[in-house]
Amino acid sequence: MEVNHFIFALISLSCLFSVSANVPPPVSNASSPASLELYDMIEVMSESPSPFAFDGTTLESIDDLLSILPSGVDPALQQICGNTDHPVECIIATMPFLDGNAPIEPLSVLKAGIKAMDNQTKDALAEVTRLSMDPTTPKTIVPILQTCIDVYNNILNSDQKSLEAISNHSLVQLSTELGANVENVLGCDNAFKQAKLESPMKDMDAMLANIISNTLTIGVDMVHF
């Protein structure tokens, strides 16, 4: 398939760089090694001071990377995601959740983004629950993990309310719920920072924060009922 061929080609290209990157993992439905390498590629592009070439094309920005995505990625999706703060993450997160029978427009991409957010949050919730029940986890950490559990449940609750807002054509409620998640996603990491500890959920939270940011942009700036 053309998209997979493109992404696997990026693997060999990324091996040319020695930059060490702490890259947030992709959403679980796109958690293949190839997808992770695409994140490595993005990180290298953000840190490298010099442009580099891929398949004869000089890549100087994320926009340049978007411009050479193969035809397997719908141009409408590229355009919508290109107007978010995290365009490549937007494409990777939403593609598995798009309804193949529905036109690609801001509303359908927003729904896919909310589903991706929900999926990523459930994975984070499962992981933090596992850590809280692990007998080797220090007892002083368990209350912080419980805070994270509450955070993720709040996000899941807001996701459902966001979908209800879409069904009710309520832009006010939609903006409120999507905006609430921008604050919600910071809760787990902030709890660990207050304890002067590094959060074991930071990578999953970073990807989740990108998805939330993108859904807010699409929901507030692009969706019109």
Side-chain angles (χ1 to χ4, degrees), residues 164-177:
E164 290 173 7
I166 292 173
S167 297
N168 296 330
H169 291 185
S170 174
L171 283 175
V172 173
Q173 183 186 1
L174 179 61
S175 299
T176 298
E177 297 302 334

Side-chain angles (χ1 to χ4, degrees), residues 6-7 9-15 17 21 23 34-48 52-54 57 59 61-62 65 68 88:
F6 172 78
I7 295 176
L10 293 181
I11 297 176
S12 59
L13 176 62
S14 64
C15 291
F17 298 90
V23 184
S35 296
L36 186 57
E37 291 294 343
L38 183 53
Y39 280 96
D40 291 336
M41 176 84 162
I42 297 165
E43 189 71 14
V44 168
M45 290 181 69
S46 68
E47 294 185 2
S48 176
F52 52 91
F54 170 72
T57 302
L59 305 177
S61 68
I62 296 298
L65 178 57
I68 64 169
V88 177

Side-chain angles (χ1 to χ4, degrees), residues 154-171:
N154 288 338
I155 293 174
L156 292 175
N157 186 49
S158 286
D159 287 348
Q160 293 307 307
K161 290 182 178 179
S162 295
L163 293 174
E164 290 173 7
I166 292 173
S167 297
N168 296 330
H169 291 185
S170 174
L171 283 175

Side-chain angles (χ1 to χ4, degrees), residues 101-177:
N101 297 320
I104 294 180
E105 56 188 9
L107 184 57
S108 63
V109 176
L110 174 62
K111 289 179 180 179
I114 293 173
K115 290 177 183 177
M117 187 197 318
D118 201 73
N119 194 66
Q120 180 78 355
T121 304
K122 287 176 179 176
D123 283 351
L125 182 58
E127 175 62 14
V128 77
T129 300
R130 183 191 67 79
L131 290 172
S132 69
M133 298 178 67
D134 189 331
T136 65
T137 298
K139 291 184 178 181
T140 55
I141 303 297
V142 173
I144 305 177
L145 294 173
Q146 183 59 54
T147 297
C148 296
I149 290 173
D150 293 341
V151 164
Y152 298 136
N153 280 324
N154 288 338
I155 293 174
L156 292 175
N157 186 49
S158 286
D159 287 348
Q160 293 307 307
K161 290 182 178 179
S162 295
L163 293 174
E164 290 173 7
I166 292 173
S167 297
N168 296 330
H169 291 185
S170 174
L171 283 175
V172 173
Q173 183 186 1
L174 179 61
S175 299
T176 298
E177 297 302 334

